Amino acid sequence: MRRDIVIDMSEVETRAALLEDGKVVEFFFERALELRLAGNIYKGVVENVLPGIQSAFVNIGLDKNAFLFVGDMLLDEKRKDVRIENLVRVGEEIIVQVAKEPMGTKGARVSTKITLPGRYVVFMPGMDVVGVSHRIASGEERERLKKIVERVRPSGSGVIIRTAAEGKSAEEIREDIESLVRLWERIKKKAEITAAPALLYQEASLIYALVRDVVDESVEHIWINSFFGYQKLKDFIESVAPHLAERVYFFESRENIFEHFGLHKEIEKALSRKVWLRSGGYLVFDRTEAMTVIDVNTGKFVGKRDLQETILKTNLEAAEEIARQVRLRDIGGIILIDFIDMEKKEHRRQVVRALEEFLSRDRTRCTVIEMSELGLVEMTRKRVRKSLDSLLREPCPFCEGEGRILSLETIAVHLLRKIEEIFRHTTSSVLSFVVGEELGGYLASQGERFLQNLRKLYGKEILWKVSKSLPPRRYNIVGVGEEEVRARFEEIS
């Protein structure tokens, strides 16, 4: 599999895209005005302990207190009283790491299980365990790497061996572990002399994190449009993986680098509710508070053979695209996929296996549950950052995130009812209002006879006009009265 990275640097934002075999599969954003918190380590103060939900709220110096669940706490193996009230108390100072970014009304989720990622390993102080990335398939290589780590890791500390460690020498792995041990010692010393709440360690910038977590032998090109960034990136890669430095390229064109690689269109597609498949079928993405629902449809695809083969082909194609889209959109939490119903069990197994295979490329942990008789597949994907949709968009101020707005007829009826209600409770003889252009067009064609009926029924005058300054479907009651209303009405353009 060929991989490429495209990096667009500007004063206000750094953004990057990971492409696999020419297809974009992940976007990354870092904005100067918005701090990334995941991975940061803080010295915090416990503000509240809630035994009922086995959680605590920790002040780490942000607008909202962070949430600490008992399951995210590092425990002494001998300790049996694993209830939150027995582990922390109000006013206690603790070192925590942000595991999940704040989302919506929720504060950041934190953990006392610290993880420090390096190029080849993840160091976990206080966790006496050695693990190996499941992507390293060779049993012989896994054993070799475990033996190296067992010899050099500090007693009582944990190490997870990353995929990038495959084939690396004992010396390279030892240096990586030792550098992370030194980093942890610096963090602890800073915690000793710093008053809480305080930031003890900040996760690496986007570019450095990309080199650490993404860049490996499979990356053929790294394009970057900033010469300053190009120099820094090349220097950093030369220090950690010298043989990959020649794969960094400076993009000199005046054309926007994302535009050149067609990535702006990919962002637009990743924000769309509907995604078309090559066969003519399509996917529909809907979000609820608790989960993301993906619906698979045959659309324009009718196939050349029998119906079941058509359905299977559409579902297999959908499985591949769904795996790409959840990475691209960075969807986390519970995901429910409604595949097209399949009569044959073997077909259902084929689709689930295909989904699992395509998801295996995802760096974020995914779990797939077997398909039900109705064609429903439940899967989970670890949520760490905001989804692409949450990062780039916000709820519509008009529909307030509902995704649907009141019809033009409904708004016109609301207005007419409002006028009638005012007439019932006023002795004034004049009412005036202004409307947006779309609502004005509807009133002129459909509503004028109702306004005329209200004039006759209540014996009052109604003045109205279209205002270009109002949103197309909005209205505004200018006033109820005599001369002053007429005067205000005349002032409105």
Side-chain angles (χ1 to χ4, degrees), residues 271 287 386-394:
L271 295 173
R287 276 174 42 194
K386 292 179 180 178
S387 68
L388 187 70
D389 182 77
S390 299
L391 182 68
L392 300 183
R393 301 197 295 191
E394 60 184 23

Side-chain angles (χ1 to χ4, degrees), residues 75-129:
L75 303 174
D76 186 332
E77 290 183 2
K78 298 176 184 177
R79 194 158 190 170
K80 295 182 180 179
D81 51 347
V82 287
R83 291 189 60 81
I84 194 77
E85 60 269 32
N86 298 323
L87 301 174
V88 292
R89 63 182 185 278
V90 173
E92 183 179 350
E93 296 183 346
I94 56 174
I95 297 177
V96 294
Q97 184 173 36
V98 176
K100 292 183 181 179
E101 297 274 355
M103 295 180 191
T105 58
K106 298 176 181 177
R109 182 165 176 171
V110 295
S111 172
T112 61
K113 300 174 182 176
I114 307 298
T115 59
L116 296 172
R119 176 127 178 94
Y120 304 124
V121 303
V122 177
F123 178 62
M124 304 180 296
M127 288 179 267
D128 192 5
V129 64

Side-chain angles (χ1 to χ4, degrees), residues 360-389:
S360 67
R361 302 173 186 174
D362 196 342
R363 293 181 301 114
T364 302
R365 188 174 71 247
C366 301
T367 304
V368 178
I369 312 299
E370 278 296 320
M371 183 180 289
S372 74
E373 296 271 337
L374 297 175
L376 294 174
V377 171
E378 182 184 326
M379 64 169 281
T380 60
R381 186 171 184 268
K382 188 177 180 182
R383 178 181 284 145
V384 178
R385 299 170 297 274
K386 292 179 180 178
S387 68
L388 187 70
D389 182 77

Side-chain angles (χ1 to χ4, degrees), residues 40-169:
N40 287 1
I41 298 174
Y42 294 85
K43 184 179 182 180
V45 181
V46 178
E47 295 275 339
N48 292 303
V49 177
L50 306 173
I53 56 172
Q54 284 298 290
S55 302
F57 286 98
V58 184
N59 178 7
I60 58 174
L62 304 178
D63 293 338
K64 294 175 182 174
N65 286 340
F67 177 79
L68 174 63
F69 178 61
V70 68
D72 294 322
M73 295 198 68
L74 181 63
L75 303 174
D76 186 332
E77 290 183 2
K78 298 176 184 177
R79 194 158 190 170
K80 295 182 180 179
D81 51 347
V82 287
R83 291 189 60 81
I84 194 77
E85 60 269 32
N86 298 323
L87 301 174
V88 292
R89 63 182 185 278
V90 173
E92 183 179 350
E93 296 183 346
I94 56 174
I95 297 177
V96 294
Q97 184 173 36
V98 176
K100 292 183 181 179
E101 297 274 355
M103 295 180 191
T105 58
K106 298 176 181 177
R109 182 165 176 171
V110 295
S111 172
T112 61
K113 300 174 182 176
I114 307 298
T115 59
L116 296 172
R119 176 127 178 94
Y120 304 124
V121 303
V122 177
F123 178 62
M124 304 180 296
M127 288 179 267
D128 192 5
V129 64
V130 174
V132 185
S133 167
H134 68 275
R135 295 190 183 183
I136 300 177
S138 167
E140 188 178 333
E141 177 65 0
R142 294 171 71 88
E143 278 304 310
R144 182 186 77 88
L145 292 169
K146 274 187 178 181
K147 286 176 182 177
I148 293 171
V149 168
E150 289 287 8
R151 288 198 302 266
V152 299
R153 71 181 175 113
S155 176
S157 294
V159 173
I160 300 295
I161 301 164
R162 307 186 74 176
T163 310
E166 189 169 11
K168 300 303 174 186
S169 68

Side-chain angles (χ1 to χ4, degrees), residues 192-326:
E192 290 172 4
I193 61 173
T194 307
L199 175 65
L200 301 177
Y201 165 80
Q202 188 161 12
E203 170 66 322
S205 67
L206 174 58
I207 288 181
Y208 293 123
L210 279 174
V211 173
R212 184 191 68 200
D213 300 336
V214 179
V215 174
D216 58 21
E217 306 292 338
S218 66
V219 173
E220 294 190 3
H221 304 92
I222 305 172
W223 294 96
I224 184 167
N225 65 344
S226 159
F227 188 68
F228 171 71
Y230 164 76
Q231 290 176 312
K232 286 185 69 176
L233 178 58
K234 193 153 189 174
D235 287 345
F236 181 53
I237 291 182
E238 281 180 345
S239 69
V240 296
H243 62 292
L244 297 178
E246 62 184 20
R247 304 185 190 186
V248 182
Y249 298 87
F250 174 50
F251 183 79
E252 297 186 65
S253 172
R254 290 186 179 182
E255 183 186 9
N256 180 274
I257 189 169
F258 262 42
E259 198 71 55
H260 177 81
F261 285 95
L263 297 174
H264 282 150
K265 289 181 180 178
E266 290 295 336
I267 291 176
E268 288 176 11
K269 288 179 185 176
L271 295 173
S272 298
R273 182 170 176 260
K274 183 182 286 189
V275 175
W276 286 97
L277 303 173
R278 293 186 305 274
S279 64
Y282 62 91
L283 309 175
V284 177
F285 289 77
D286 282 309
R287 276 174 42 194
T288 71
E289 193 73 24
M291 69 179 71
T292 299
V293 179
I294 305 172
D295 188 32
V296 182
N297 297 276
T298 52
K300 295 178 284 187
F301 181 51
V302 293
K304 296 180 180 178
R305 290 187 286 176
D306 62 54
L307 177 61
Q308 286 304 310
E309 288 299 320
T310 298
I311 290 172
L312 175 61
K313 184 175 180 181
T314 304
N315 281 338
L316 288 172
E317 190 181 345
E320 180 178 3
E321 188 60 28
I322 287 167
R324 186 174 82 96
Q325 288 292 329
V326 295

